[in-house]
């Protein structure tokens, strides 16, 4: 019965042209931008104006009002917008509920989600329905082409009228968009989405993997993810319940993807722990657990990609700690049992959209499955759930012991060293980090509760000697054979290049270029024919009246948008690399032209040629 209802819903959404472009057409670009700031008034004015001009509710506008803006609609209008499913079918699927039924179900009779307080004695029109879930169109372009889906998730703050609940299942947010843009699109037999949330990463992985396993510790997240897969006719995803790698013990995958709950939150009483962002371990131990666990779950040549936060400790660069995660075996971990915390004040402002993520790793202790349409309680908390999430972790026992908990030893069965490419995109001081994530939880900065939480965050950082927190991308690979050859940890703040289909193809090309040159000695490299990538340009700066440039740089238009400083020799080599001449011939000609020793010039240029290959500035052409 449920599958039949989902089929009808899919047909209705398609018939109504419920799409990203259609919504923009309904309310305009400026209203779109306002919605990204969690402000819906401009979009609502656009819908109201359209209805006034037409004299009736347009189907796509009705769906947008209900499922995107989170506002009630008339039953008759929803019947028109969903002719096959009908309002009754929407209720059966748990997408919407009668306002009157909401009161019977225990909803505060004086507050309607998305409407605000209802005046005493006021009434809502008979037959009015309100949303129980958010349903949004989603469009994208990746290496396989353009695509579009519909994504179901829990109601956001616009519809709820209060901060998110701790067990909230997010839709497609900023973090998930970042990760989907990084996914390497190389076809593989198997992929694992670790902590799937609403399922968006698993759905993207389904486009290049024959089989996808999606795991989560939240029953509700898995239900919504399964709904999204079926709604969008994706049939190669298997959903499993469990913490971290527990549901796939003994299995290996060609591609592991994870947007883990990486936010560093104080593990003390009174600090809310949001399931979509807080993994339950002290500091950055959750990210460490994913990194350490990846080795034994990757096939030879398999790649893991994830986002993460990492700590800088006093007197130690964060990259030193990250390097240790990559090489050391799994160490003891101390799971932390969270303590129930008070809800954030209902008067808190809306959570900034730019902090959105889509990872919901934890679930209630109860084995009872909640209906898909059941609202996520704003005050809920799950004692012990985050502790379960830490069973695979690799936390520092001393630091975590100070916060309570019982030590548990986890032994890796196959902790092979990994190739790694870690890119730090941003670093924040403890003060800014705390402010960011306290606001993310919905607590206003001008309240006593904000000050209390701020103090807890700073106390935690000070007690553990944390001086900064980094954020970035992690790409790990199990060597196909032998020992790791690729270990690159770098800081790349600033604007990326133009990558309309995502960064994944660029990452894959860089890995392939590394593998080729790592297996190529200098003699073979000298025989290679290289060509400048089509997105690379050269910029030269001159002092007025001077013939020779004072500065020369190569600019990369795609990928990471890198800039490389050039000297005369390297600039000339790059300029002559047209795919016709081999590197050795170019070096020999340059040595004669510059009147320098050919061997010395080759010793200087060939390592830099390797770097340009690995960064995507130069490409290898077969002879």
């Amino acid at each position: 019965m449920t599958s039949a209802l989902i089929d009808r819903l899919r047909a209705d959404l398609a018939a109504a042209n419920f799409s990203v472009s259609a919504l923009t057409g309904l309310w305009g670009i400026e209203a779109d931008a306002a919605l990204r700031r969690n402000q819906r008034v401009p979009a609502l004015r656009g819908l109201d104006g359209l209805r006034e001009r037409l004299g009736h509710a347009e189907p796509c506008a009705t769906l947008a009002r209900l499922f995107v803006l989170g506002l009630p609609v008339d039953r008759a209008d929803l019947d028109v917008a969903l002719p096959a499913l009908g309002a009754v079918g929407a209720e059966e699927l748990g997408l919407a509920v009668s306002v009157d039924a909401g009161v019977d179900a225990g909803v505060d009779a004086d507050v309607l989600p998305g409407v605000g307080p209802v005046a005493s004695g006021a009434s809502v029109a008979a037959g009015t329905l309100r949303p129980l879930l958010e349903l949004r169109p989603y469009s994208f372009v990746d290496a396989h082409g353009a695509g579009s889906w519909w994504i179901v998730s829990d109601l956001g703050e616009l519809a709820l009228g209060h901060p998110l609940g701790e067990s909230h299942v997010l839709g497609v947010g900023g973090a998930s968009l970042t990760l989907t843009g990084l996914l390497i699109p190389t076809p593989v037999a198997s992929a694992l989405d670790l902590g799937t949330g609403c399922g968006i990463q698993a759905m993207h992985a389904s486009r290049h993997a024959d089989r996808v396993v999606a795991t989560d510790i939240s029953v509700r997240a898995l239900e919504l993810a399964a709904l999204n897969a079926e709604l969008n006719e994706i049939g190669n995803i298997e959903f499993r319940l469990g913490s971290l790698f527990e549901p796939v013990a003994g299995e290996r995958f060609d591609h592991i993807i994870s947007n883990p709950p990486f936010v560093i939150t104080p593990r003390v009483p009174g600090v809310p722990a949001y399931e979509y962002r807080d993994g339950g371990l002290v500091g950055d131990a959750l990210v460490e657990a994913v990194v350490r666990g990846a080795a034994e779950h990757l096939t030879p040549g398999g790649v893991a990609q994830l986002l993460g936060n990492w700590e800088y400790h006093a007197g130690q660069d964060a990259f030193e700690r990250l390097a240790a995660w990559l090489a050391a075996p799994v160490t003891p971990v101390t799971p932390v049992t969270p303590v129930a915390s008070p809800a954030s004040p209902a008067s808190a402002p809306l959570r900034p959209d730019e902090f959105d993520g889509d990872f919901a790793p934890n679930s209630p202790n109860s084995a009872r499955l909640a209906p898909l349409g059941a609202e996520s309680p704003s005050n809920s908390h799950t004692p012990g759930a985050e502790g379960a999430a830490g069973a695979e972790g690799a936390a520092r026992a001393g630091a975590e012991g100070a916060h309570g908990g019982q030590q548990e030893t986890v032994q890796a069965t196959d902790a092979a060293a990994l190739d790694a490419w870690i890119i730090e995109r941003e670093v924040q001081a403890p003060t800014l980090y705390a402010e960011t994530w306290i606001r993310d939880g919905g607590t206003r900065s001008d309240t006593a509760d904000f000050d209390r939480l701020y103090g807890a965050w700073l106390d935690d950082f000070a007690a553990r000697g944390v001086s900064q927190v980094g954020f970035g991308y992690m790409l790990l690979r199990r060597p196909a054979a032998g020992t790791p050859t690729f270990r690159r940890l770098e800081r790349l703040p600033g604007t990326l290049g133009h990558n309309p289909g995502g960064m994944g193809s660029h990452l894959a090309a860089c890995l392939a270029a590394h593998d080729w040159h790592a297996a190529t000695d200098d003699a073979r490299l000298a025989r290679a024919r290289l060509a400048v990538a089509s997105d690379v340009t050269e910029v030269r700066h001159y002092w007025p009246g001077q013939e020779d440039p004072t500065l020369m740089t190569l600019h990369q238009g795609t990928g990471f948008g890198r800039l490389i400083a050039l000297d005369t020799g390297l600039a000339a080599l790059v300029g002559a690399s047209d795919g016709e001449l081999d590197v050795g011939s170019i070096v020999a000609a340059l040595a004669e032209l510059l009147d320098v020793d050919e061997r010395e010039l080759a010793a200087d240029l060939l390592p830099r040629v390797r770097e340009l290959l690995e960064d995507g500035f130069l490409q290898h052409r077969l002879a």
Side-chain angles (χ1 to χ4, degrees):
M1 181 61 181
T2 299
S3 293
L5 293 175
I6 293 173
D7 290 342
R8 295 175 195 171
L9 174 62
R10 184 190 313 114
D12 286 340
L13 295 175
N17 188 26
F18 189 52
S19 64
V20 172
S21 59
L23 295 188
T24 302
L26 289 176
W27 50 52
I29 296 175
E30 291 184 5
D32 261 347
L35 276 176
R36 286 193 290 273
R37 300 189 300 270
N38 273 345
Q39 301 297 326
R40 67 182 170 197
V41 171
L44 181 58
R45 288 169 65 90
L47 296 185
D48 289 343
L50 177 65
R51 178 161 189 156
E52 185 176 345
R53 292 192 301 274
L54 296 178
H56 61 83
E58 198 272 338
C60 186
T62 297
L63 298 176
R65 184 184 184 95
L66 180 67
F67 293 124
V68 177
L69 301 187
L71 296 169
V73 298
D74 291 339
R75 178 178 292 272
D77 289 341
L78 190 58
D79 281 331
V80 172
L82 301 173
L85 181 67
V88 171
E91 289 178 290
E92 288 186 52
L93 277 178
L95 298 174
V97 66
S98 167
V99 169
D100 295 333
V103 174
D104 293 338
V107 176
D108 188 343
D110 295 328
V111 180
L112 298 178
V115 181
V118 178
S120 177
S123 62
V124 178
T128 300
L129 293 116
R130 61 182 180 85
L132 285 177
L133 291 169
E134 187 173 275
L135 171 59
R136 286 178 178 260
Y138 166 71
S139 61
F140 59 91
V141 178
D142 61 15
H144 306 284
S148 60
W149 293 321
W150 297 289
I151 303 297
V152 178
S153 62
D154 275 334
L155 293 173
E157 292 176 9
L158 280 176
L160 293 172
H162 54 71
L164 303 180
E166 293 181 7
S167 59
H168 187 85
V169 179
L170 284 171
V172 181
S176 47
L177 290 175
T178 295
L179 185 55
T180 59
L182 294 170
L183 296 187
I184 291 177
T186 304
V188 296
S190 61
L192 168 65
D193 178 14
L194 194 70
T196 192
C198 72
I200 189 63
Q201 305 302 334
M203 293 168 67
H204 275 283
S206 73
R207 290 168 65 83
H208 67 264
D210 295 335
R211 177 179 67 93
V212 180
V213 174
T215 70
D216 208 293
I217 202 169
S218 166
V219 172
R220 180 174 180 76
L222 292 175
E223 290 176 335
L224 291 179
L227 171 61
N228 285 325
E230 185 171 356
L231 178 60
N232 294 285
E233 299 184 281
I234 299 172
N236 61 338
I237 305 176
E238 176 188 349
F239 298 94
R240 300 184 191 177
L241 179 68
S243 171
L244 290 175
F245 292 102
E246 290 174 358
V248 293
E251 298 181 55
R252 291 186 180 181
F253 299 86
D254 304 312
H255 197 181
I256 296 176
I257 304 155
S258 185
N259 181 13
F262 53 72
V263 176
I264 298 168
T265 303
R267 303 301 169 194
V268 296
V271 177
Y274 295 95
E275 292 182 351
Y276 66 89
R277 73 181 203 191
D278 301 317
L281 296 180
V282 171
D284 52 19
L286 192 283
V287 177
E288 181 181 358
V290 177
V291 171
R292 292 183 185 275
E296 60 183 299
H297 293 283
L298 285 171
T299 59
V303 170
Q305 293 182 270
L306 62 145
L307 304 180
N309 274 170
W310 40 81
E311 296 178 341
Y312 285 74
H313 290 176
Q316 183 187 40
D317 189 284
F319 281 4
E320 296 177 25
R321 301 177 60 252
L322 295 179
W325 296 357
L326 297 168
V330 174
T331 57
V333 58
T334 305
V336 176
T337 302
V339 181
S341 58
S344 299
S347 59
L350 299 177
R351 186 168 55 87
D353 179 77
E354 60 266 29
F355 301 137
D356 279 359
D358 71 341
F359 192 91
N362 299 324
S363 64
N365 286 338
S366 171
R368 178 178 59 85
L369 301 187
L372 281 178
E375 292 181 89
S376 177
S378 62
N379 298 338
S380 65
H381 190 77
T382 311
E386 285 111 333
E392 294 281 342
R396 291 152 302 282
E400 292 173 354
H403 291 73
Q406 183 176 1
Q407 183 164 313
E408 177 181 334
T409 299
V410 178
Q411 181 65 43
T413 58
D414 191 7
L418 298 172
D419 287 325
W421 189 1
I422 298 176
I423 297 163
E424 184 176 78
R425 293 284 294 151
E426 183 180 1
V427 177
Q428 289 187 339
T431 49
L432 180 57
Y433 190 86
E435 292 166 17
T436 297
W437 292 108
I438 296 170
R439 289 199 308 271
D440 177 83
T443 303
R444 286 187 355 205
S445 59
D446 57 350
T447 63
D449 201 39
F450 185 96
D451 292 344
R452 178 184 61 81
L453 294 173
Y454 204 168
W457 243 279
L458 297 185
D459 287 346
D460 175 63
F461 284 138
R464 296 186 298 106
V466 177
S467 58
Q468 296 181 106
V469 178
F471 166 83
Y473 321 146
M474 309 183 83
L475 189 158
L476 314 172
R477 184 176 63 171
R478 185 185 179 105
T483 59
T485 63
F486 191 61
R487 183 61 57 84
R488 186 169 187 175
L489 286 74
E490 58 183 335
R491 295 177 170 93
L492 292 175
T495 305
L496 299 176
H498 180 60
N499 301 283
M503 287 277 293
S505 295
H506 174 75
L507 298 177
C510 291
L511 286 177
H514 164 81
D515 293 341
W516 179 81
H517 87 73
T520 302
D521 60 20
D522 282 351
R524 185 181 172 197
L525 179 60
R527 296 192 298 270
R529 298 177 183 180
L530 307 180
V532 180
S534 60
D535 65 314
V536 173
T537 57
E538 181 183 306
V539 176
R540 299 190 176 206
H541 300 265
Y542 295 83
W543 288 113
Q546 298 294 312
E547 294 183 0
D548 297 325
T550 58
L551 177 65
M552 297 180 291
T553 57
L554 282 184
H555 291 237
Q556 185 178 57
T558 63
F560 290 101
R562 297 177 188 270
L563 289 94
I564 302 294
L566 299 172
D567 57 21
T568 301
L570 188 59
L573 186 149
V574 170
S577 296
D578 58 2
E580 299 298 326
L581 293 173
D582 62 66
V583 174
S585 297
I586 296 174
V587 171
L590 287 175
E592 183 176 351
L593 180 65
L594 298 174
D595 193 23
V596 298
D597 182 80
E598 182 179 340
R599 293 181 183 178
E600 291 181 0
L601 184 60
D604 174 59
L605 291 179
L606 291 185
R608 297 158 76 188
V609 166
R610 293 179 184 275
E611 293 176 1
L612 292 177
L613 280 166
E614 197 161 289
D615 288 340
F617 286 88
L618 292 176
Q619 297 174 341
H620 176 226
R621 297 283 180 88
L622 295 177

